[in-house]
């Protein structure tokens, strides 16, 4: 199957170029990795052919198929530019091709399969069998049947005793599907019959459609292909549902004075909102000092951030304040914790929530710098990377922000790619920046970043700019290394090095004036 969408075309371009960050950004928009472009090339084939090993690894991790028994897989393997890539593709287990392709989907699966994440708030009890522990908000987000139940007869319930006629296997299959745990390769005739019986009732039409299609396919390779395509649709459907659910969270947010938080009736009502929250996220209102926005959220999602994962698994009050019901579920009626986001803009907070809930990485340049700083505080490295990419790819950003502001944030957040970007911007317009007092200040700050400065130490910013000047003037670094420094300085008339020399001489003059040896 081919696709002509702009996102897919851009994905293919970055697979050829080898940009891991841009490939990851586009994959998170929901692009199907297992389609072909107008020349019948898949993203995996392009990355393999062009020798982009890290992109190959990322595509496989996100759900790209490489089945050596199929034409597309064989093309990738035999067209690989390097033996290393070929070995990676040969070693790839086809069963992994139906794994959750998005990090958010992998996290949803972990809520069901990882016993260390204890945040469930509903237990389904089967007579004489093992209980199944789930999350109300996720069931409600993915099924209108459960949404109606939790807003109606099951609103205050933590334990649902299942009737004898409902087989435990049915809920196991349905819950694994709803948590995006791959199940399609496990469905035999018995499991298929059980699942189909409940799909209509729970309005799980994607799974029902797959079951009906799979009945008429006997060829194992075709069944595998269908399973992969269906798992992609399942993941995308879940992302759309979670996006809609975040819309409900944002719609339910309220703004209150800090001193009224504990006694406000609106807060009490928010606890029992349609979002079925178990934690409030608080964000300062930048235009109204003393006021905060409150979002009804879920700690099982917030723990995608390493910061909150540590918080909720520690002895901090935010973790210890949770009460449990006799069934061992979270009791949302007592000790409702409030946690703060490290930002003072609700728009930034909502971008972070969108990332945590459904892996949204579409970050506008207006908020990218604030998202970067907040993501660093939350130990969310992938979101940091996506914010940095948004800054570097924007044509508007530098019309509103100084490149030195970018540089200082890059230092504070340890974002090396942004440091290099700042150096590139400065180098590309060096005649202008060299006479800017802010550049001199930046060089001084960079020199102070060297701990226990020794005579042989260099100033990182200066080194980066020198490298970017080489690139700017297309100076061959190997050829340049063969020329002595004295020769470069004393013979600026050389055709290739003359423009480079002019910039270097300005840089050296600045350093001499500042009394720095770099």
């Amino acid at each position: 199957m081919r696709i002509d969408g702009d996102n897919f075309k851009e994905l293919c371009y970055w697979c050829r170029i080898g940009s891991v960050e841009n490939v990851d950004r586009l994959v998170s928009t929901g692009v199907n990795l297992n389609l072909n472009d107008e020349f019948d090339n898949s993203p995996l084939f392009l990355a393999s052919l062009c020798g982009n090993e890290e992109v190959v690894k990322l595509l496989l991790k996100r759900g790209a198929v490489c089945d050596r028994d199929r034409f597309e897989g064989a093309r990738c393997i035999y067209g690989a530019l390097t033996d290393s890539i070929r070995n990676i593709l040969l070693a790839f287990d086809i069963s992994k091709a139906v794994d959750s392709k998005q990090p958010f989907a992998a996290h949803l699966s972990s809520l069901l399969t990882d016993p260390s994440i204890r945040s469930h708030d509903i237990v389904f009890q089967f007579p004489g069998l093992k209980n199944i522990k789930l999350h109300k908000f996720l069931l409600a987000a993915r099924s209108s049947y459960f949404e109606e139940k939790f807003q109606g007869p099951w609103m205050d319930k933590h334990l649902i005793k299942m009737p004898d006629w409902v087989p435990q296997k049915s809920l196991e299959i349905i819950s694994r599907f709803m948590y995006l745990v791959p199940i399609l390769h496990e469905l035999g005739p018995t499991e298929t019959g059980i699942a189909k019986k409940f799909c209509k009732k729970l309005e799980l039409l994607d799974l029902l459609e797959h079951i009906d299609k799979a009945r008429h396919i006997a060829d194992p390779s075709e069944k595998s292909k269908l399973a992969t395509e269906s798992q992609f649709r399942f993941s995308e459907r879940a992302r759309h549902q979670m996006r809609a659910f975040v819309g409900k969270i944002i719609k339910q947010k309220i703004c209150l004075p800090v001193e009224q938080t504990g006694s406000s009736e609106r807060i009490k009502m928010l606890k029992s909102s349609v979002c079925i929250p178990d934690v409030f996220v608080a964000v300062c209102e930048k235009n109204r000092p003393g006021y905060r926005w409150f979002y009804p959220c879920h700690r099982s999602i917030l723990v995608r951030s390493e910061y909150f994962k540590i918080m909720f698994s520690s002895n901090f009050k935010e973790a210890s304040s949770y009460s449990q019901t006799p069934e061992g579920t979270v009791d949302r009626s007592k000790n409702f914790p409030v946690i703060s986001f490290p930002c003072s803009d609700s728009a930034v907070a909502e971008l972070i929530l969108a990332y945590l809930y459904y892996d949204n990485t579409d970050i506008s340049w207006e908020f990218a710098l604030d998202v970067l700083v907040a993501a660093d505080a939350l130990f969310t490295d992938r979101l940091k990377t996506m914010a940095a990419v948004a800054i570097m790819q924007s044509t508007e950003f530098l019309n509103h922000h100084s490149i030195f502001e970018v540089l200082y944030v890059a230092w504070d957040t340890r974002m090396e790619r942004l440091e290099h970007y700042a150096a590139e911007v400065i180098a590309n317009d060096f005649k202008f920046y060299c006479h800017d007092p802010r550049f001199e200040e930046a060089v001084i700050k960079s020199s102070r970043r060297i701990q226990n400065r020794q005579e042989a130490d260099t100033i990182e910013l200066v080194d980066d700019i020198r490298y970017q000047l080489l690139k700017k003037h297309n100076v061959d670094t190997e050829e340049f290394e063969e020329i002595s420094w004295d020769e470069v300085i004393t013979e600026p008339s050389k055709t290739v090095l003359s423009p480079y020399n002019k910039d270097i001489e300005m840089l050296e003059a600045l350093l001499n004036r500042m009394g720095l040896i770099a």
Side-chain angles (χ1 to χ4, degrees), residues 146-358:
F146 283 112
E147 183 180 22
E148 292 175 6
K149 287 289 188 181
F150 292 134
Q151 293 303 312
W154 293 357
M155 179 180 290
D156 298 319
K157 289 191 174 184
H158 299 283
L159 177 67
I160 306 296
K161 294 183 178 180
M162 303 301 291
D164 293 339
W165 61 268
V166 176
Q168 185 197 42
K169 189 69 176 177
S170 64
L171 190 57
E172 284 184 355
I173 293 171
I174 296 303
S175 60
R176 284 167 67 82
F177 167 79
M178 296 183 75
Y179 281 72
L180 295 179
V181 178
I183 61 168
L184 299 182
H185 285 67
E186 304 172 8
L187 295 182
T190 302
E191 291 80 8
T192 297
I194 292 173
K196 187 173 181 179
K197 184 177 180 180
F198 290 92
C199 280
K200 286 185 178 180
K201 185 176 182 65
L202 302 180
E203 298 185 18
L204 305 179
L205 303 182
D206 290 346
L207 181 56
L208 184 62
E209 180 184 355
H210 170 83
I211 291 172
D212 288 339
K213 284 184 178 180
R215 280 191 316 155
H216 305 290
I217 299 177
D219 180 74
S221 179
E222 288 301 311
K223 275 203 169 186
S224 176
K225 181 179 179 181
L226 176 64
T228 300
E229 292 173 350
S230 295
Q231 192 66 42
F232 170 79
R233 287 199 305 274
F234 297 166
S235 295
E236 285 311 293
R237 175 66 174 160
R239 287 188 70 226
H240 288 304
Q241 290 170 331
M242 294 302 284
R243 181 186 291 113
F245 190 77
V246 170
K248 290 182 180 180
I249 291 176
I250 294 172
K251 189 176 180 180
Q252 292 283 316
K253 71 179 180 179
I254 59 175
C255 190
L256 291 172
V258 174
E259 64 271 12
Q260 293 183 14
T261 300
S263 59
S264 171
E265 285 298 320
R266 294 175 67 194
I267 279 286
K268 294 176 183 177
M269 291 177 61
L270 195 58
K271 290 180 180 180
S272 56
S273 78
V274 295
C275 299
I276 321 177
D278 60 13
V279 65
F280 290 143
V281 165
V283 181
C284 294
E285 170 50 60
K286 64 178 181 178
N287 296 321
R288 299 174 71 186
Y291 281 75
R292 291 193 295 177
W293 285 105
F294 291 86
Y295 295 82
C297 295
H298 309 85
R299 62 177 181 145
S300 54
I301 294 295
L302 297 182
V303 295
R304 278 195 68 192
S305 155
E306 192 66 24
Y307 175 86
F308 290 124
K309 186 175 183 179
I310 294 170
M311 175 187 290
F312 291 129
S313 61
S314 67
N315 293 322
F316 293 126
K317 66 177 182 179
E318 289 84 357
S320 60
S321 65
Y322 278 99
S323 300
Q324 287 194 334
T325 66
E327 295 80 24
T329 63
V330 172
D331 187 349
R332 298 183 299 109
S333 64
K334 301 176 182 177
N335 301 323
F336 214 91
V338 176
I339 59 173
S340 297
F341 261 21
C343 62
S344 58
D345 190 329
S346 58
V348 174
E350 288 164 17
L351 283 170
I352 296 171
L353 289 176
Y355 171 78
L356 295 175
Y357 274 84
Y358 62 92

Side-chain angles (χ1 to χ4, degrees), residues 55-69:
V55 173
V56 168
K57 290 178 181 178
L58 177 67
L59 292 172
L60 293 174
K61 183 179 178 181
R62 295 287 187 264
V65 173
C66 183
D67 185 351
R68 72 185 72 180
D69 295 325

